[in-house]
Amino acid sequence: MTSKPRSATETIRNLWERLLVDPTLGVISLLLIFALIAAFALPVFYAGNNIYNLVGSSITVMILSIGMTVVLISGGIDLSVGAVMALCAGVAATVLKMGAPLFVAFVCAILVGIAAGLLNGLLVTRVGLPDFIATLAMLGFASGVLYIATQGVPIIGYMTSEYYIVGGLDPLVGPVTFPILVAVVLALIVGWVLSRTKLGTHFFAVGSNAVASRQSGIPVRWVKTQAYMLSGTCAAVAGIILAGRNNNVPADLGTGYEIQAISAAIIGGASLMGGRGRVLGAVLGALTLALAINIINLAGVPSSFQKIVIGVILILAVIANYLSELARGATQRRRAKRLSSIDA
Amino acid sequence: MTDRAETPSAQSLVLEARGVTKHYEGVTALDHATLAVGPGEVHALLGGNGAGKSTLISIISGVTKPDSGKILLGGEVMPASGPLAAISAGISTIYQELSLVPALSVLDNIFLGREIKRKTLGLPLTSDRRSMELAVRDLAADFGVTANELHTPVSEFGALKKRSIEIVKALAFDPKVLILDEPTSGLEDAERQVLFGYMRSMRERGVSLVWVTHHLEELFGLADKATVFKDGRTVATVATESTSIDKLITLMFGADREEFGGGDTRKIAHLQPSSERPVILRARNLTRGSVVRDISLDVHEGEIVGLAGLAGAGRTEVVRTLMGLDALTSGSVELNGRRLSLRNSTAAYRAGLAMLPEDRKQLGILADLSTAQNISISRLSTVTAAGFWMSRRKELALAESYRGQLGIKTPDVNARIGNLSGGNQQKAIVARCLNTSPKLLIFDEPTQGIDVSAKVEVHALVRDYAANGGAAILIASEIEELLELSHRVLVLKKGQIVGEVRNIPAAIEAGEFARIKSEVLTLSAAGQAS
């Protein structure tokens, strides 16, 4: 069946077809289009640290969307990521203020994130609440706790020189900041989990058909719970970084992040119906969002238009993903036809 | 396209398909298929799974656009502009999966999207239920739906009544052609007869019926003609009065009939009585509320134990408790002498149980995953390196080995399983079960909704599994299938065992098939728990 390419044209055709059948084709083309617009229409795009800042500003959403992708793949949705992220940021800042070392503060924040995810998972799988309701309740709960703890006054005075590095305000090595490093490592780990571990396959199976998964012996409830715990962990990591980047933790730090995280995951090809999604897609999705917001900022459009832009990009992305799905189908048909004609 | 029965002249045809071709992701579903249906004719579409019947009806009913070819209705070419256009042109379709909205009343379902409106404030906003009822009351009565029932939500009715409602819904708009896709699926025997009566009365009304079925024995006395498809091509159109099941099977599969529906070429692979062999599964006093009551059963090595019973007798419920899918109220299960705790299905699989679930689409396949992943999913440790990370190479090798062993037909095991035909999906799920090296394998309706040739192959898989020393529990609604495969049959009624029939292979060998069949049927209907 698999014939080796015999000529240069065939090699090119195979490469081209590989690109056409790639599930991230939609988001890649969207990203390219925006980059081209920026490059030609806005010379200021390359000025100063713009691109550097752009990447830095996308990291929080990127980390959240990596966890969100896993939840979406397993057939759920996590509306609590923004609130949990803010709560974890508050925990890290408070523990630091009490004089604990950075490491201890981070462990505390991450434990809170995992606990929130576990609670989400238990509410969904054991109590039987719909994903939407359970995580909406967690959103309210987490942001409520942060409000009460801060009494509406932002937490300040926890920054140390190391925390400037963690927040990405000071670079780590050369131009690479700590948040970029964390995002890359996290993306690689979660991507590896999804494509190369049993748990990853179970995420896809459960999201594709939970009842059939149970019939085939997959511990469906535990798998779903783990997806939420992973999302909670990502929220905690994002919170730790955002607390450093932001210099203070206001009670409404997380507001709106859940929408951006879901948008980035969907732009990256995840399906709300479950069973589909890619970490690389989520990473590119977060970059696409940041790039679009950057473009309208540079173009002098009022920042209040950002939300509209996010909405429009979401629609464009779904269309782009649909088109790439069509291209994939057509390519597979062509290839199958060619293969069968070779066989004959 | 040889061997064609007398073709009526083009003018008198109600429906005609010419040179219809359709490709799906790498698969040719239809290859210049043709069909000619005369007025007031019951026309059966036959063929194995993947032969192209479903694609053809979905093209005729406007759901799918053909790559080439055309559909003629009353001699005029139909534009391929969607299902609504087809319906208003006079082609109605009743799909295998019922397409009624459960929460709406029968009347609202019949007129869904085509409501008769009354003017309110000069605008046609309000549904005029009175006029709607008047319009269909007589028609509904003809098909057993009373005026009272018209106002009852569809969710309260059973399979036959829903089928009747679909018929009324279709006939309410005077179709010229009515397409019936496996209309008898999910119906009991007596209900089928009622449905066939309805089909005759539709024919008397002058409606042409296009009837897709897998049950060849249903055709005779009802269908006028049958068109046989194979591999997307029209093989032949024959008049049913001048053909036979054997001839049709030869047309469908190109081979002579083998092991189909109780024929005498049946093969009995394993005759030895297995009660002396070691007991694999020992279940005692299984009880779950009032659904499963005090069930005790043993399954020996190499033995297939069939569970018989009418719908609702509790057959699936019993095996669900074994698999840990439903909790037991009381009772115990031992596998190879070791007591099992049936907390959940994961524990059951780990202990050495596996199940091929009924309803392949809902409970079986993971449609978004590849065929290879669907095969390995129940025991991923068989495709991992160092017991932890997945090896695509091992996954592929495993899938390829089962593809060869079980004859799973697919161009690419890495493609989504959703693209495969029903029979091949089922074989992949058999592979999924076998890959867990089960000590006991449960087959729940293993041949539901798959075609005759795949059926024969799945039967062979079940037999091979037992012949190699595996123990199996089999549930099959088709009594012939159950008897041909089982060594022993337990009859269930209202969640209890009401009887047992032993030594079935020997009885069949002695020519007593009819006797044990009636014995099982009698027990199913009238058995008393001891």
Side-chain angles (χ1 to χ4, degrees), chain A residues 195-196 214-216 276, chain B residues 325 345 349 378 390 392 416:
Chain A
S195 65
R196 287 283 178 271
R214 185 159 171 249
Q215 296 265 356
S216 54
R276 290 181 194 195
Chain B
L325 291 162
S345 59
Y349 271 89
S378 283
M390 309 281 299
R392 294 282 168 237
R416 283 163 36 117

Side-chain angles (χ1 to χ4, degrees), chain B residues 73-302:
Chain B
L73 188 66
E76 283 174 38
V77 177
M78 276 214 326
S81 51
L84 274 180
I87 291 171
S88 50
I91 299 177
S92 283
T93 309
I94 297 177
Y95 291 100
Q96 202 176 343
E97 283 91 22
L98 295 163
S99 49
L100 299 169
V101 184
L104 291 183
S105 73
V106 173
L107 193 63
D108 288 350
N109 262 291
I110 291 172
F111 284 91
L112 194 63
R114 302 173 287 195
E115 293 85 355
I116 300 175
K117 298 289 172 116
R118 190 176 51 208
K119 291 207 165 167
T120 308
L121 302 171
L123 292 169
L125 292 174
T126 323
S127 291
D128 187 350
R129 292 219 166 76
R130 231 179 128 74
S131 312
M132 294 199 281
E133 186 183 334
L134 278 176
V136 293
R137 201 164 53 191
D138 294 341
L139 178 68
D142 287 350
F143 293 92
V145 180
T146 65
N148 256 338
E149 287 172 334
L150 282 176
H151 299 284
T152 313
V154 163
S155 55
E156 296 188 11
F157 297 113
L160 175 66
K161 187 72 87 180
K162 283 182 179 160
R163 210 69 68 167
S164 315
I165 295 165
E166 293 244 30
I167 290 173
V168 175
K169 179 178 172 178
L171 292 186
F173 299 91
D174 290 323
K176 299 188 186 76
V177 178
L178 181 62
I179 302 169
L180 299 156
D181 187 5
E182 297 260 0
T184 56
S185 71
L187 297 190
E188 304 279 331
D189 257 347
E191 295 177 327
R192 287 175 187 221
Q193 298 311 319
V194 176
L195 182 81
F196 295 151
Y198 290 163
M199 287 170 69
R200 289 196 181 90
S201 88
M202 285 191 272
R203 173 168 56 185
E204 277 155 29
R205 286 164 191 262
V207 180
S208 301
L209 300 181
V210 175
W211 176 22
V212 179
T213 182
H214 278 147
H215 301 276
L216 301 183
E217 68 282 1
E218 289 177 350
L219 299 183
F220 298 92
L222 184 49
D224 302 305
K225 282 189 188 144
T227 296
V228 180
F229 293 87
K230 190 186 172 202
D231 300 331
R233 281 185 281 266
T234 310
V235 179
T237 298
V238 293
T240 38
E241 43 190 26
S242 62
T243 188
S244 66
I245 289 191
D246 285 317
K247 281 183 190 161
L248 288 172
I249 289 193
T250 311
L251 288 173
M252 285 163 73
F253 302 107
D256 279 332
R257 140 186 197 151
E258 185 197 357
E259 283 197 82
F260 173 64
D264 34 18
T265 50
R266 196 168 39 242
K267 286 182 214 138
I268 311 291
H270 37 281
L271 276 169
Q272 71 269 52
S274 35
S275 48
E276 293 109 42
R277 293 174 133 193
V279 174
I280 302 289
L281 180 94
R282 185 191 300 276
R284 286 293 171 270
N285 312 103
L286 300 181
T287 300
R288 172 179 167 76
S290 58
V291 192
V292 175
R293 293 189 287 170
D294 203 28
I295 299 271
S296 295
L297 64 95
D298 289 346
V299 184
H300 298 82
E301 187 186 285

Side-chain angles (χ1 to χ4, degrees), chain A residues 215-230:
Chain A
Q215 296 265 356
S216 54
I218 297 172
V220 172
R221 295 195 280 201
W222 176 226
V223 170
K224 288 200 89 160
T225 306
Q226 282 171 291
Y228 281 106
M229 287 166 69
L230 219 151

Side-chain angles (χ1 to χ4, degrees), chain A residues 1 192 195-198 201-202 204-205 208-209 211-219 274-276 332-333 336, chain B residues 25-26 320 325 345-346 349 355 357 362-369 377-378 380 387-390 392 411 416 432:
Chain A
M1 292 288 284
W192 180 77
S195 65
R196 287 283 178 271
T197 66
K198 290 191 216 174
T201 310
H202 283 170
F204 281 99
S208 176
N209 185 341
V211 192
S213 295
R214 185 159 171 249
Q215 296 265 356
S216 54
I218 297 172
R276 290 181 194 195
Q332 280 171 352
R333 268 199 299 283
Chain B
E25 312 206 348
R320 281 182 64 91
L325 291 162
S345 59
T346 314
Y349 271 89
M355 172 156 92
Q362 301 295 324
L363 308 177
I365 60 164
L366 300 159
D368 290 317
L369 272 56
I377 192 75
S378 283
L380 288 174
F388 188 56
W389 60 81
M390 309 281 299
R392 294 282 168 237
R416 283 163 36 117
R432 176 195 293 174

Side-chain angles (χ1 to χ4, degrees), chain A residues 200-283:
Chain A
T201 310
H202 283 170
F203 283 140
F204 281 99
V206 167
S208 176
N209 185 341
V211 192
S213 295
R214 185 159 171 249
Q215 296 265 356
S216 54
I218 297 172
V220 172
R221 295 195 280 201
W222 176 226
V223 170
K224 288 200 89 160
T225 306
Q226 282 171 291
Y228 281 106
M229 287 166 69
L230 219 151
S231 176
T233 311
C234 287
V237 172
I240 289 169
I241 287 170
L242 192 60
R245 186 179 167 84
N246 214 41
N247 271 326
N248 66 74
V249 180
D252 64 351
L253 182 68
T255 310
Y257 271 97
E258 59 284 333
I259 302 296
Q260 291 201 44
I262 294 169
S263 304
I266 302 249
I267 291 169
S271 161
L272 282 179
M273 309 298 290
R276 290 181 194 195
R278 266 183 123 191
V279 169
L280 178 63
V283 169

Side-chain angles (χ1 to χ4, degrees), chain B residues 260-491:
Chain B
F260 173 64
D264 34 18
T265 50
R266 196 168 39 242
K267 286 182 214 138
I268 311 291
H270 37 281
L271 276 169
Q272 71 269 52
S274 35
S275 48
E276 293 109 42
R277 293 174 133 193
V279 174
I280 302 289
L281 180 94
R282 185 191 300 276
R284 286 293 171 270
N285 312 103
L286 300 181
T287 300
R288 172 179 167 76
S290 58
V291 192
V292 175
R293 293 189 287 170
D294 203 28
I295 299 271
S296 295
L297 64 95
D298 289 346
V299 184
H300 298 82
E301 187 186 285
E303 187 183 35
I304 303 173
V305 174
L307 298 185
L310 302 175
R315 293 164 300 174
T316 297
E317 287 74 6
V318 170
V319 295
R320 281 182 64 91
T321 63
L322 288 176
M323 292 306 296
L325 291 162
D326 291 330
L328 280 173
T329 318
S330 64
S332 69
V333 179
E334 278 177 20
L335 193 66
N336 281 341
R338 208 164 53 84
R339 175 90 186 253
L340 302 184
S341 77
L342 299 166
R343 286 189 318 276
N344 52 45
S345 59
T346 314
Y349 271 89
R350 206 167 285 152
L353 298 172
M355 172 156 92
L356 178 97
E358 60 174 345
D359 195 349
R360 183 185 62 250
K361 273 188 198 159
Q362 301 295 324
L363 308 177
I365 60 164
L366 300 159
D368 290 317
L369 272 56
S370 70
T371 306
Q373 285 174 312
N374 265 282
I375 290 174
S376 58
I377 192 75
S378 283
R379 181 145 301 174
L380 288 174
S381 54
T382 55
V383 292
T384 50
F388 188 56
W389 60 81
M390 309 281 299
S391 156
R392 294 282 168 237
R393 196 178 47 78
K394 281 192 181 181
E395 186 183 275
L396 187 69
L398 182 81
E400 288 294 349
S401 103
Y402 278 116
R403 169 157 85 167
Q405 230 172 301
L406 310 188
I408 302 168
K409 290 190 202 78
T410 166
D412 181 5
V413 289
N414 284 318
R416 283 163 36 117
I417 196 170
N419 298 338
L420 298 192
S421 73
N424 286 311
Q425 290 179 352
Q426 194 74 326
K427 285 188 228 165
I429 297 175
V430 172
R432 176 195 293 174
C433 293
L434 293 178
N435 187 42
T436 66
S437 323
K439 301 186 180 80
L440 178 91
L441 212 170
I442 298 165
F443 297 94
D444 193 356
E445 302 285 3
T447 61
Q448 199 177 47
I450 66 177
D451 72 57
V452 181
S453 71
K455 233 178 206 181
V456 173
E457 290 174 304
V458 170
H459 286 176
L461 295 178
V462 175
R463 286 208 179 94
D464 287 350
Y465 170 74
N468 293 328
I473 294 177
L474 171 73
I475 298 175
S477 289
E478 225 176 282
I479 180 86
E480 289 81 7
E481 174 174 305
L482 192 74
L483 293 178
E484 279 177 32
L485 291 175
S486 306
H487 295 98
R488 189 155 64 89
V489 164
L490 299 171
V491 185

